[in-house]
Amino acid sequence: MENISSKIAKNNSKAEAPITANKNENPYEIVKELIKESVEALRLSQGVYSILEKPARVMEVSIPVKMDDGQIRNFTGYRSQHIDILGPTKGGIRFHPKVDLDEVKALSIWMSLKSAILGLPFGGGKGGVIVDPTQLSECELENLSRSYIRALIPIIGPEKDIPAPDVNTNPQVMGWMLDEFDRLRGYNVPGFITGKPIIIGGSQGRIEATGRGVVITIVQAAKRLNIDLKNAKAAIQGFGNVGSMTAKFLHELGVKIIGISDASGGIYSQNGIDVPELIKYVNNTKAVMNFPGTTRIDNDELFSLPVDILVPAALENQITERTAPMIQAKIVAEAANGPTTPAGDQILDEKGVFIIPDILCNSGGVTVSYFEWVQNTMGFYWKEKDVNEKLEEKMIYAFDDVFRMTVEKDIDMRKASYMVGVGRIAEALKARGWVKDWSMPINCKA
């Protein structure tokens, strides 16, 4: 029987790249610069940038875990809470050997912006543990999950900070974490965590939500660019949960998927890849390589394919100064967090590529997590059809807002999305009295 660690490895074959020491590829430095540009473009006060440039609180925890051989191994974990001006912070927990503090801080800021763009009553949070979960037994993984929650108990909860799955975590891990939180509180608190199994309060449609949201934004972009999706071609980098669901939904719309890659390598078929059969194949083999009817390609070949749509759904810092010139796609839909470096972004902009930025494109997951939290609070649960309809409504609303900003300011979609997100957070800061107007921070004694 397949254990939990094996399932995690299979479901997260898109495991994200480590943060590099290069400042130009460090997500925390990149997101701070983009926020700064947005604050200046919106003519907000320097005080707004000072509030948004770093998390309100960051906790580093020591997590001792008793291993199967009886020895104690001590892991390091983090939780970053960016800003809670709009509501409790919200964001995933990742288990990965290359997790570091800058990565977690950057991801928490992105979560704040996603929530603001989608109009969700959340701030941004993110957590991580430095560990390779595939090297742990199921018992060790459960002990680590529970110990992490015990370490964070002072700062988490349904009205404080709401975790969720991320890289190398899944509904089962969320179930263990929920159970540990409930044990410590002495009663059932289903709204403490999202992305959990449906039987204990999870939401219908949550597993597919991020990929479904990616495709909703692609449909909207295609309408603006007059691209007929039934005659369109696509390539997808990454075939974990997000990449596979994106491929599935694009395939259902009639898009021909001619290239797909994962950690094992890439595959290509001029006539289109049978996505439903590939999903079955990967469930058995754990990799896309050697799928019947396809030929092998490498990462550079995937990027250079003559497609209308390119979906980076794998690693950070993939579209760079080196790889961006190869891209022929008309639309780049950022299903991954931070797949494009500033240098790569500039090249794509000069080429006239329509980028759907990550903080808009992959926000379907946090949106349905919000729906799950709402359902937990009400004790009333929706059908999958209702969840999907609400998700589509939210995603289209957000896309329209960002596109409107793009047209009005004559700027690209990334700058527009940051301006929408930062502007909404700044509006909340003003409403709460943190800033007196758009140009002057409050400077008075309490």
Side-chain angles (χ1 to χ4, degrees):
M1 182 175 178
E2 188 179 30
N3 63 30
I4 296 298
S5 298
S6 298
K7 289 181 180 179
I8 285 176
K10 178 180 73 177
N11 292 335
N12 292 277
S13 58
K14 66 167 194 162
E16 299 186 14
I19 296 303
T20 169
N22 183 346
K23 183 176 179 179
N24 293 326
E25 294 183 359
N26 183 318
Y28 185 45
E29 298 299 330
I30 291 171
V31 73
K32 287 195 297 182
E33 185 61 30
L34 287 166
I35 288 174
K36 184 177 181 181
E37 291 175 3
S38 297
V39 167
E40 291 172 351
L42 291 166
R43 299 184 179 180
L44 303 175
S45 72
Q46 179 64 27
V48 173
Y49 174 71
S50 296
I51 293 168
L52 298 184
E53 71 167 326
K54 56 187 176 183
R57 63 190 67 85
V58 177
M59 192 170 185
E60 178 178 332
V61 294
S62 173
I63 313 168
V65 175
K66 188 174 182 179
M67 310 302 283
D68 290 345
D69 62 7
Q71 296 195 27
I72 301 295
R73 187 174 165 194
N74 206 341
F75 298 89
T76 298
Y78 304 104
R79 187 69 182 175
S80 175
Q81 299 171 342
H82 178 230
I83 189 168
D84 56 6
I85 198 95
L86 291 171
T89 52
K90 178 86 185 71
I93 296 168
R94 59 180 51 184
F95 289 172
H96 195 281
K98 298 299 183 181
V99 164
D100 72 17
L101 193 54
D102 272 0
E103 176 186 42
V104 173
K105 287 158 68 173
L107 289 162
S108 71
I109 296 174
W110 277 325
M111 289 302 299
S112 289
L113 294 168
K114 289 179 189 181
S115 294
I117 291 168
L118 269 292
L120 308 179
F122 290 141
K126 208 74 177 186
V129 177
I130 303 173
V131 61
D132 181 353
T134 64
Q135 301 303 307
L136 303 182
S137 70
E138 182 172 339
C139 183
E140 290 167 342
L141 186 62
E142 179 177 354
N143 288 340
L144 175 64
S145 302
R146 291 178 180 276
S147 296
Y148 178 68
I149 292 303
R150 287 198 298 272
L152 293 181
I153 201 69
I155 65 168
I156 53 178
E159 291 86 27
K160 292 181 180 180
D161 182 19
I162 306 153
D166 199 76
V167 173
N168 289 338
T169 56
N170 62 13
Q172 177 59 79
V173 173
M174 299 302 105
W176 291 329
M177 291 181 174
L178 172 64
D179 185 66
E180 191 63 28
F181 186 85
D182 287 353
R183 288 188 185 194
L184 294 167
R185 284 289 174 258
Y187 53 90
N188 190 15
V189 192
F192 152 66
I193 204 164
T194 61
K196 52 193 176 289
I198 289 174
I199 191 65
I200 53 174
S203 176
Q204 298 282 352
R206 175 61 185 87
I207 292 175
E208 304 86 357
T210 305
R212 189 181 295 276
V214 170
V215 173
I216 291 169
T217 63
I218 289 172
V219 170
Q220 297 306 306
K223 288 180 180 178
R224 270 63 175 193
L225 300 177
N226 294 317
I227 295 174
D228 180 4
L229 290 178
K230 291 185 178 179
N231 293 314
K233 297 178 182 179
I236 299 176
Q237 184 202 36
F239 206 67
N241 173 264
V242 178
S244 62
M245 289 299 102
T246 300
K248 175 179 181 288
F249 296 132
L250 284 176
H251 179 79
E252 290 174 356
L253 290 175
V255 177
K256 184 183 291 185
I257 315 294
I258 64 171
I260 294 175
S261 69
D262 64 7
S264 69
I267 57 174
Y268 167 77
S269 172
Q270 181 179 356
N271 297 322
I273 296 167
D274 188 336
V275 174
E277 287 302 313
L278 177 62
I279 291 174
K280 294 177 185 177
Y281 178 83
V282 171
N283 284 338
N284 292 322
T285 65
K286 315 298 186 290
V288 301
M289 290 300 292
N290 302 316
F291 180 64
T294 65
T295 57
R296 291 190 179 192
I297 57 173
D298 61 26
N299 201 51
D300 286 357
E301 289 174 306
L302 182 86
F303 279 157
S304 62
L305 289 175
V307 296
D308 302 284
I309 304 157
L310 173 65
V311 182
L315 312 176
E316 295 164 349
N317 300 326
Q318 293 298 293
I319 300 176
T320 64
E321 188 174 11
R322 186 186 71 81
T323 57
M326 306 175 186
I327 294 173
Q328 300 185 52
K330 301 179 181 70
I331 297 171
V332 170
E334 295 184 337
N337 286 315
T340 309
T341 66
D345 205 34
Q346 182 176 347
I347 292 169
L348 292 184
D349 186 54
E350 290 170 355
K351 287 163 64 82
V353 178
F354 189 97
I355 300 174
I356 311 174
D358 49 4
I359 58 174
L360 170 63
C361 186
N362 67 35
S363 57
V366 68
T367 303
V368 175
S369 280
Y370 163 62
F371 297 159
E372 182 175 333
W373 179 73
V374 169
Q375 292 171 82
N376 294 155
T377 302
M378 295 189 303
F380 179 78
Y381 293 85
W382 306 330
K383 297 177 181 178
E384 185 173 357
K385 177 176 177 290
D386 297 327
V387 171
N388 292 340
E389 287 177 353
K390 293 176 190 298
L391 171 62
E392 184 171 18
E393 181 182 3
K394 279 281 190 184
M395 294 295 297
I396 292 175
Y397 171 84
F399 187 98
D400 287 346
D401 274 356
V402 172
F403 189 77
R404 191 178 303 113
M405 180 73 77
T406 293
V407 173
E408 289 177 0
K409 301 294 183 181
D410 192 23
I411 54 178
D412 61 58
M413 287 285 284
R414 190 180 313 282
K415 290 177 182 175
S417 64
Y418 272 79
M419 287 176 68
V420 170
V422 169
R424 286 183 178 157
I425 295 172
E427 191 175 346
L429 290 170
K430 181 182 178 184
R432 286 178 175 266
W434 288 38
V435 290
K436 195 176 289 185
D437 55 39
W438 296 127
S439 60
M440 184 185 300
I442 285 184
N443 185 19
C444 58
K445 294 180 180 180

